Amino acid sequence: MTVLAKGVAALDLRGRIVSEVVRITDADDSLEAVQFVFADGQSLTITVWTDWRLMVELRSEAVVPDYLWPVEDRTCTAIAGLSGAEKVVREVVSTLNDARVLVEVLFSLDGRSLLVKSFGGDLILELG
């Protein structure tokens, strides 16, 4: 598995086709990451890092990242309405805080919005 891009550079996704969006949770069902799986097999994973910023990685395949340890304790669940039907990424808007740290990303997928943000060290997912 190869990391193709990290951070804001990984968010250059306009026109990419999403085959599913997945919630990655821990044993307590707490949201650990959101993963976009693309039609070509690549994936974009977003999680909150230790300093409360969003960590974003574009990878060559869809796997649970090893920094979500232990990997075998993580559960992947497809998000209804964003999986199975291919959706095109129309827009990606990232928000930086005053310290120029990535804290929020808004995705527009064929008329559906999906907001992923860091709040108080927690990963928040809001569907519109």
Side-chain angles (χ1 to χ4, degrees):
M1 169 186 48
T2 305
V3 175
L4 303 174
K6 285 189 177 184
V8 177
L11 295 172
D12 185 19
L13 304 171
R14 287 182 63 149
R16 303 260 338 237
I17 299 172
V18 176
S19 58
E20 70 178 346
V21 181
V22 176
R23 298 175 74 244
I24 300 174
T25 56
D26 65 11
D28 296 328
D29 202 35
S30 296
L31 183 62
E32 292 282 315
V34 175
Q35 187 173 70
F36 292 78
V37 180
F38 300 106
D40 64 3
Q42 293 181 352
S43 69
L44 179 85
T45 304
I46 304 172
T47 190
V48 174
W49 210 241
T50 55
D51 60 0
W52 295 7
R53 69 182 163 94
L54 289 181
M55 164 71 123
V56 180
E57 287 186 333
L58 180 64
R59 293 173 170 253
S60 61
E61 57 188 341
V63 297
V64 175
D66 56 3
Y67 53 77
L68 295 176
W69 185 86
V71 171
E72 60 273 5
D73 288 350
R74 300 303 182 256
T75 301
C76 297
T77 307
I79 297 173
L82 294 174
S83 298
E86 295 184 340
K87 300 206 176 286
V88 176
V89 177
R90 300 294 178 191
E91 188 173 16
V92 179
V93 179
S94 56
T95 301
L96 307 178
N97 66 11
D98 293 339
R100 311 272 312 137
V101 171
L102 182 65
V103 293
E104 185 175 285
V105 183
L106 177 64
F107 297 89
S108 175
L109 306 172
D110 282 338
R112 293 277 320 256
S113 65
L114 187 141
L115 178 68
V116 181
K117 65 181 179 179
S118 170
F119 183 78
D122 292 325
L123 187 65
I124 307 295
L125 173 64
E126 296 176 3
L127 300 172

